[in-house]
Amino acid sequence: MKMTNIERRDKELVYISDDEVFEEQKIARRLTQELNTVDRSDFAAIKGIVNKLLGKSDGEAFINPPFYCDYGTHIEVGKNFFANYNCTMLDVGMIRIGDNVQLAPNVAIYTAGHPVHPATRNTQYEYGIDVTIGNNVWIGGNVVICPGVTIGDNTVIGAGSVVTKDIPAWVVAAGNPCRVIRKITEADRNKYYADKEIDHEAWQDIMRMESEENDEGKYPVSGE
């Protein structure tokens, strides 16, 4: 039996956005419109809409509107997820995001793409390839993540990067195209900006929180 375009899409095959596909997108468009017009000071309402929009979350995920996506149901996030203003997720393929992930403003995650050859592209066939982001990842402002990319645990992606290939765990990576700059080590633990060290009062508080929460894996320790 011939596959539907929804089946083709979900198998990462080329597909056409037909009426059945558009019907699925209508749900996300209604919810994103609700999110993008809600009282911005009503944090509980924002969380509630986000929880209805996303395919999987802990109910505490927070997205600062405006936010844009194709389906929402193709986005899965872990605990303590935060996305700042003007995030776009073209979730034709699945976007899987781990725990404690932070997205700065204007981050764009694209699973969608089109054939390179114009004759093929003009047939309206397109595709979606999954994107995976690990735990404890920080994505800087104006970063673009392209289809098929995996970003490893505990990694930082610098602002303005275009991520076209997989990035490993425990690194700082940046650039266009995005490349590994250096590893993250224990020497980074008491730093907050360049070589600035965290003050004693805040450091004592951080150490207390790490001690209380370490059993949950919220505060990872590097292998260095």
Side-chain angles (χ1 to χ4, degrees), residues 81-83 86-98 101-113 127-134 137-152 155-167 173-179:
F81 174 75
F82 174 77
N86 206 40
C87 178
T88 298
M89 297 190 189
L90 298 188
D91 58 326
V92 173
M94 291 297 300
I95 298 174
R96 297 181 178 89
I97 298 174
V101 171
Q102 297 172 311
L103 309 184
N106 302 307
V107 167
I109 302 175
Y110 301 147
T111 69
Y127 63 85
I129 307 295
D130 298 353
V131 166
T132 302
I133 298 173
V137 172
W138 175 24
I139 308 293
N142 293 290
V143 167
V144 174
I145 299 172
C146 294
V149 162
T150 294
I151 297 173
T155 278
V156 174
I157 305 295
S161 298
V162 178
V163 189
T164 60
K165 296 182 179 179
D166 292 354
I167 302 295
N176 182 6
C178 188
R179 295 184 175 89

Side-chain angles (χ1 to χ4, degrees), residues 65-130:
F67 173 73
Y68 307 96
C69 67
D70 284 329
Y71 300 95
T73 52
H74 294 176
I75 302 169
E76 298 181 350
V77 303
K79 296 182 295 184
N80 304 311
F81 174 75
F82 174 77
N84 219 324
Y85 306 106
N86 206 40
C87 178
T88 298
M89 297 190 189
L90 298 188
D91 58 326
V92 173
M94 291 297 300
I95 298 174
R96 297 181 178 89
I97 298 174
D99 295 339
N100 310 309
V101 171
Q102 297 172 311
L103 309 184
N106 302 307
V107 167
I109 302 175
Y110 301 147
T111 69
H114 304 269
V116 171
H117 196 286
T120 309
R121 188 166 62 249
N122 290 344
T123 64
Q124 298 185 340
Y125 269 97
E126 56 187 300
Y127 63 85
I129 307 295
D130 298 353

Side-chain angles (χ1 to χ4, degrees), residues 79-80 99-100 210-220:
K79 296 182 295 184
N80 304 311
D99 295 339
N100 310 309
E210 288 191 12
S211 178
E212 291 175 355
E213 301 289 343
N214 197 47
D215 288 342
E216 297 182 10
K218 187 174 180 181
Y219 299 103

